[in-house]
Structure formats: C-alpha cells, structure tokens
Amino acid sequence: MNDSTARGRISVHPRGFGFFVVEGPTPISAFITPPDLNPFLDGDVVNARLSSDGSGRFVATELALVSRPRAEVFGSVALRGGKRYLRIDRSVANTDWPLDTTNELAEGTHVVAEVSGDRLVVARLVPEGADLGVERCIARHGLRAVFADTLDRAAEEAAARPIPMERRRDLRSVPTVTIDAASTRDIDDALSAYPADASGALRVLVSIADVDVFVPERSALDREARLRGTSVYLAGRVLPMLPEAISSRAASLVEGEDRPALTAELRIDPEGRITSVDVYESLVRSRARLTYDAVDTFLAEGHAEGVPHAVESTLRWLRTAVARLGAVRAARGGVNLAREEARIELDARTGEPTAVEAHRETPAHRLVERLMVAANEAVADWLVARGLPGIYRVHDEPSPERVRTLAQLAHNFGIEAGFGPRLSARSLAAFEAQIAGARFEPAIRTVLGQALGPARYTPDPGAHFGLGAPLYLHFTSPIRRYADLVVHRILKRYLEGHRDYEDIRAGLAVLAADCDRSSQNAGKAEAERHRMLVARLYAGRLGEEVSGNIVALKPFGLLVQIAGTGAMGSIAMEVLPGGPFRTDLAAQALIGAGVRYAVGDRITATVAAVHEELGRIDLVPAG
C-alpha cells in the first residue's frame, strides 16, 4: 500500500459517499467514506492522504479544508431535539447541518442558506409555489440569481444616459432585421445586406449590441457581469448576466428603436470568400423582429405572414450570402457542434413540462448560425492582423487515441469512418454527411460531442477544429457572454486610436480562465435543469416501453438516449442480463457471459423509476 498527500476537490455522490478529485495530466479520483465526508461540501478544496492498493484504486483520508468556494446551499428544515437542521441537497452534502436562524421555521420549509465557515445562516426563504427544481439547481451550481438593488438602480441610470454619437455610422436607413425565438428578450444581433454589385459581391452587416456603452469597464455593473460570466438559461427561468434594464431594454436591439452597435461589415464574393472586413461603431434601428418559425416559412415558400414586405429583399440577400458561405464551409470541413439535447415544451400557465423532443436545426437557425460564425471568424482575423490581443475560442484537434475511439464508436453505430491516425476537418465533415438523416443521428451527435471534447477560451490565437476555422472568437453575444464584451472593448479601444494594450494583455489569461469556468458551470446547470424536467415528465410514464441507443458506458452501467426525444435514461449494471461484466474500452462495450452491450447499440427498455432531484430516469431492459 502506497501513501501520499495531495490537494484536490470534493465531489459528493447523492448516495452518501464522495470522491477526492485531483485534476492534472493524470487525474486521480479517490473514494471518501461517508463519515469522512460529513464536514465537507461539494466543491471544497482540501488536502488529503491518498492510499493506493496498487491496482489503480485510491482511498482519501485525513481530509483538511483549504478553501470553500460555495457561498450558498439549498435544503429543507428538519427538527431534531428542539434544534433546527438543514437537510442539504444530497448532491452537495451527505448529511444535515445545524441551521442558525431566529425564525421559528416549520419542518419542511425550503430555504437557501449562506455558508459561513462550518455554519449555515438562513439567507432567504423559498417562496411558496416556487419551482424547487430551479431553486435547487441555482444553489447547487452557485449561480447568482438576483441583482442587488444598487445594481438595478445603476442599470436604470445607465439606460437613461444619451448614446454617444462620435465615430458612429448612422445605419438607421438600412433595412435591418433580428431573428430569434419568439420568447427571446435579450436581442444581441441584427442583420442587413446590400444587393450584389456589378462584380457579384455583396455586403452583409452583422450589427451587435454595444453593451460597453451601458456597462463601463471596472464599474459595479461590470464587476457583477464578470462574476456571472454568462447568462444562464434554465427552462422556465433566465438568470441574465446584466440587469433587465440593460439586457432586455436599453441594449437589446428591439424593433423600431435606435440602438448603439458594433458592426462587422463583410464583403462576400460570388465564390463565398470574405474579401474584406470593416469593423465600426454604428447606430441601428431594427425594421422587423422576426422569429425562426416565420423565417423558416419565408425561406420555404417565398412569403410569410410574420415577414414584412419591406425586409423580404434583405432576407433573400442574406440567404444568398449564407449559401455562399456554406459552400466554402463545406469544402473546408468541420461540423455543427451545437449541443444536442432534449427540447422541453412547458405549459405557459403552469410551467410544467408537457413534451420532450430531440433538438432539430432548421434553415432559419442555420442562416443565423452561419452569419454569426462568419462574423466571429472575421473579427478574430481582424484582431490578429493588427497584432491586437483578444479572448479566442480554441478547439483542439483530437488526440490519436480519441480518433481511434470515435472510429470504434462509429463502427458500433454501423458507420465505417476510416479516419486514419489523424482526424482532419474534412474527414469530420464527411463523417457528418454519413450520419445526416439517420435514425440514430441525435445519438451519434451526442457521442461525437463527447469524443471531440469542449472548446475553451484562451488569450492565445488558435484554430477551432470543430468548425474548421483557422481563428475564432466570440463577438456576437455581449449581452449574454462576458468574453464577447471584452472583445468589444478591445475593438473600440483600437477604433478610438489607442495602440497600447499591455495593461489588457497582462490580465487576459486569468480573464479567459474565468470565462471558461462560467461557461462550463452554466452549461452544467442548464443540462441538469433539462434532465430534471425530463425526469418530471417521465414520472407519468412509469412502465412505458422505450427504445434508444447506448451513448456512454458509466461505472454504474449504461447511458441510453431515448429515440425521438433526445432524453437520457440509465440502466444499472446489476439489472443487465448476462453479468458479471468487464469493460472493453477499445470496443466501447460491456462484455458479459455471451452478451455484449456497446455504445451505439439499439436497446429496448422499460421506464422503471425517476429521480427528479438527480435528473435521472431509471430504465430496465425490456422483458
């Protein structure tokens, strides 16, 4: 038995035990027994003694707290021996903690408590009738749910200030549209296009809300925005990065209102090449607030009730631009890495889930996505060409090991990828062409995203492998992402004539890491909220038979994506016939006595149980 000491983070398992996780080139996960876990919360940074039996299994003991980043916890009041305790969310703590309160809170009252060392103090009561799943998700992931009154007042004051017109080009006479979901209130981007000139080249204007006008750098609003890092979209509730006075009103590119913007003007020749890029401050006025559904109808039929005649020509030229860009993008390779998740429909009156279906990209979504990607690439090129700093979005080429794994996964789905030792953007695009329209497309897209891994923010310019882009960053959503706001400020500083960026360069690495953590945390919270709602929906479907594809092997068993919905269910290893099993990583399969369960396999199962708090649907093999 070998012993050593290390520093890592606590990960709490809902079943009462935990893990000590050491990140690094060779990650270590060590088991923590329930008694040793009692004084700690999920995410705590601790020192621990690691013991190994030589087979790769570790146990962590002698845990000592180093820091506790978690500020709040969610739970319900429990009474024992005349004292009040908080039954904390079991994904955060494995035991109840004493609760300091001067109120005579009834047992079962749901509260959010502030963590002060090893004490809990009631911060606020959860209102009666509130969606407990949302409140649990907010506290579990340490999200900032409300703005202080001082920040709301600061936002109102900022929204009332006049728009500075120096250096702004007046684009209010140019037919400009926004295209979003019908429910969207924080509208970041607007589009316009000039008809093709005599050479066949056309100009597309991608105008993005100039948030910096309302959120001065180093102001209280700016500090709060950086702490949040991104807006978080929990089904049924939005946690905006900026107060509503700015995010939904003053900065939002609402129809018929003058708004300050940063415009990237792209000249696109008949071959689909972007031959020039101009970036400037502008003043825009949206002529029409279009929805994806209305634009889809227009693109299919040439007219739509929700598309005014005055902007029909704009949409037609935008479609031309996207067709040209799409041809070039198809030639260079890459895939659409938008997250494939279940889309939840909520009852408008009750907020309860009524249906779930797999996410499908439509022509209108594709039009907006292609133009936003083009603008983001163009601005990245613009910055690098001038030697300017930035926060770039880099997606690394997968390692040879990941390429082999993806090829095996494709084989399991019935696709022969033949990637070779190195995956190129074009071979990735060819792979995508093979899966397009297949019954298992949503499932294999989920597997593809897992195999390729996430992109990251970095101050170092680099390629985005998934998009096949030599350079890429985020410029088009400053209302919702802090990284975009930073890019806007760098651009504006250059346009104002400044050339000294040393002060900005010095802090970009830390800033990029902060943006990365915020983005990852928001993604986890949004995915968890979706899983919770899907579990709530399936609570009424116990005993129903479903079919789907295995998309991952887990220590507990199998993860299955239910066909037609995008929803995930799990099958525990102990209910699979043919055990005991061994895991064959090369084949991405569980191998038992005369039976094999591989990622990609189709499987039929029955809904056995749901656990809404964990966002889990338990399945058992049919029959």
Side-chain angles (χ1 to χ4, degrees):
M1 183 79 70
N2 298 317
D3 285 7
S4 62
T5 58
R7 177 168 297 183
R9 290 185 180 272
I10 297 286
S11 175
V12 175
H13 192 283
R15 293 184 178 178
F17 52 85
F19 295 95
F20 173 75
V21 180
V22 181
E23 298 176 349
T26 307
I28 296 174
S29 181
F31 184 78
I32 305 173
T33 64
D36 286 339
L37 187 63
N38 288 348
F40 300 101
L41 300 175
D42 186 76
D44 282 354
V45 178
V46 300
N47 291 328
R49 179 172 296 280
L50 294 179
S51 301
S52 171
D53 60 6
S55 66
R57 291 188 294 267
F58 291 89
V59 174
T61 56
E62 301 179 26
L63 281 68
L65 183 67
V66 174
S67 64
R68 175 162 285 156
R70 186 176 296 277
E72 293 182 333
V73 294
F74 168 89
S76 59
V77 175
L79 299 177
R80 289 202 301 272
K83 294 183 178 180
R84 285 174 172 77
Y85 293 81
L86 188 68
R87 188 178 190 280
I88 303 172
D89 172 11
R90 286 302 184 240
S91 290
V92 174
N94 74 327
T95 190
D96 301 346
W97 283 31
L99 183 64
D100 288 355
T101 176
T102 57
N103 298 323
E104 297 296 317
L105 298 177
E107 185 160 14
T109 303
H110 287 92
V111 304
V112 174
E114 180 181 333
V115 181
S116 178
D118 57 358
R119 298 168 57 247
L120 299 182
V121 180
V122 174
R124 60 185 181 276
L125 303 184
V126 176
E128 189 172 345
D131 190 318
L132 299 181
V134 170
E135 297 295 337
R136 183 182 294 110
C137 196
I138 289 171
R140 183 179 289 176
H141 294 280
L143 304 177
R144 300 172 74 87
V146 297
F147 290 99
D149 291 341
T150 54
L151 290 172
D152 280 327
R153 287 194 296 270
E156 294 284 357
E157 292 169 3
R161 286 196 289 266
I163 300 170
M165 290 303 298
E166 299 85 359
R167 301 181 307 278
R168 289 194 185 277
R169 296 189 195 179
D170 191 341
L171 300 180
R172 289 176 292 179
S173 63
V174 180
T176 300
V177 301
T178 63
I179 306 172
D180 293 277
S183 60
T184 300
R185 300 180 63 195
D186 48 353
I187 302 174
D188 293 281
D189 53 88
L191 299 166
S192 46
Y194 293 110
D197 60 21
S199 71
L202 55 86
R203 287 183 292 158
V204 171
L205 281 63
V206 180
S207 296
I208 307 300
D210 189 350
V211 173
D212 180 60
V213 168
F214 307 102
V215 185
E217 194 170 3
R218 298 186 179 88
S219 65
L221 286 169
D222 181 52
R223 289 192 294 271
E224 180 70 15
R226 178 168 176 173
L227 284 171
R228 293 178 178 236
T230 180
S231 295
V232 185
Y233 295 86
L234 306 175
R237 184 171 174 183
V238 178
L239 308 181
M241 185 178 77
L242 298 166
E244 186 177 342
I246 295 173
S247 62
S248 299
R249 301 206 302 271
S252 185
L253 305 182
V254 296
E255 182 180 354
E257 298 292 337
D258 296 349
R259 290 291 184 262
L262 268 181
T263 295
E265 184 173 324
L266 315 180
R267 184 180 186 274
I268 305 171
D269 73 9
E271 301 297 314
R273 295 171 298 202
I274 297 177
T275 58
S276 67
V277 179
D278 194 9
V279 180
Y280 50 84
E281 295 173 75
S282 60
L283 187 70
V284 301
R285 180 187 296 162
S286 170
R287 297 280 185 90
R289 187 203 188 291
L290 307 180
T291 65
Y292 289 120
D293 289 344
V295 173
D296 277 326
T297 300
F298 177 83
L299 295 176
E301 301 179 10
H303 60 84
E305 184 176 342
V307 177
H309 176 72
V311 300
E312 287 184 346
S313 177
T314 298
L315 278 184
R316 288 197 292 269
W317 284 115
L318 289 174
R319 175 172 57 190
T320 302
V322 167
R324 294 180 180 184
L325 293 170
V328 171
R329 184 166 164 181
R332 78 183 187 189
V335 295
N336 180 4
L337 288 175
R339 188 169 67 216
E340 295 294 321
E341 63 184 12
R343 187 171 73 85
I344 303 289
E345 290 186 11
L346 301 179
D347 184 279
R349 183 178 59 85
T350 65
E352 290 298 306
T354 58
V356 57
E357 61 181 16
H359 170 78
R360 295 287 182 184
E361 185 186 57
T362 71
H365 285 93
R366 190 157 48 249
L367 182 147
V368 174
E369 183 261 345
R370 288 273 167 85
L371 292 173
M372 294 305 112
V373 167
N376 287 334
E377 285 188 59
V379 170
D381 288 338
W382 195 92
L383 287 178
V384 170
R386 289 158 179 79
L388 300 179
I391 293 183
Y392 297 89
R393 192 71 171 163
V394 171
H395 186 230
D396 296 323
E397 179 183 324
S399 65
E401 182 181 358
R402 285 197 171 202
V403 174
R404 287 193 296 272
T405 298
L406 180 56
Q408 178 62 52
L409 294 172
H411 173 79
N412 293 349
F413 275 96
I415 301 292
E416 300 303 343
F419 292 132
R422 184 175 178 183
L423 181 61
S424 71
R426 286 187 178 180
S427 59
L428 189 60
F431 175 69
E432 184 178 42
Q434 292 188 74
I435 67 175
R439 181 180 63 172
F440 53 74
E441 181 181 355
I444 200 167
R445 283 192 177 276
T446 296
V447 170
L448 177 61
Q450 294 168 350
L452 293 180
R456 70 182 192 282
Y457 288 113
T458 171
D460 302 316
H464 192 295
F465 177 79
L467 294 173
L471 291 168
Y472 196 69
L473 52 64
H474 281 156
F475 159 77
T476 54
S477 295
I479 293 178
R480 294 176 272 181
R481 289 188 303 235
Y482 194 77
D484 303 54
L485 178 55
V486 173
V487 170
H488 276 225
R489 287 172 174 158
I490 292 169
L491 290 167
K492 291 178 67 175
R493 185 165 176 164
Y494 184 88
L495 295 174
E496 290 166 3
H498 298 286
R499 298 297 182 265
D500 182 8
Y501 284 89
E502 291 311 307
D503 58 330
I504 292 178
R505 293 182 196 276
L508 276 184
V510 173
L511 188 50
D514 288 346
C515 290
D516 230 18
R517 279 191 293 271
S518 298
S519 175
Q520 292 170 10
N521 201 37
K524 290 177 183 177
E526 290 167 354
E528 183 175 278
R529 171 62 174 159
H530 271 82
R531 291 196 300 269
M532 287 178 175
L533 285 174
V534 172
R536 187 184 300 178
L537 182 66
Y538 272 83
R541 301 182 180 181
L542 297 181
E544 181 178 310
E545 190 172 282
V546 298
S547 64
N549 292 89
I550 300 169
V551 294
L553 307 180
K554 296 292 184 180
F556 60 78
L558 306 174
L559 193 63
V560 176
Q561 186 162 316
I562 300 172
T565 69
M568 298 290 184
S570 58
I571 302 180
M573 203 174 299
E574 56 263 30
V575 302
L576 288 170
F581 296 94
R582 64 176 178 85
T583 302
D584 185 334
L585 292 178
Q588 287 292 297
L590 292 180
I591 309 297
V595 67
R596 176 180 182 271
Y597 298 96
V599 172
D601 284 354
R602 193 78 169 182
I603 192 167
T604 303
T606 302
V607 180
V610 299
H611 308 271
E612 184 181 334
E613 286 190 19
L614 306 177
R616 197 176 80 208
I617 301 171
D618 288 346
L619 306 175
V620 296

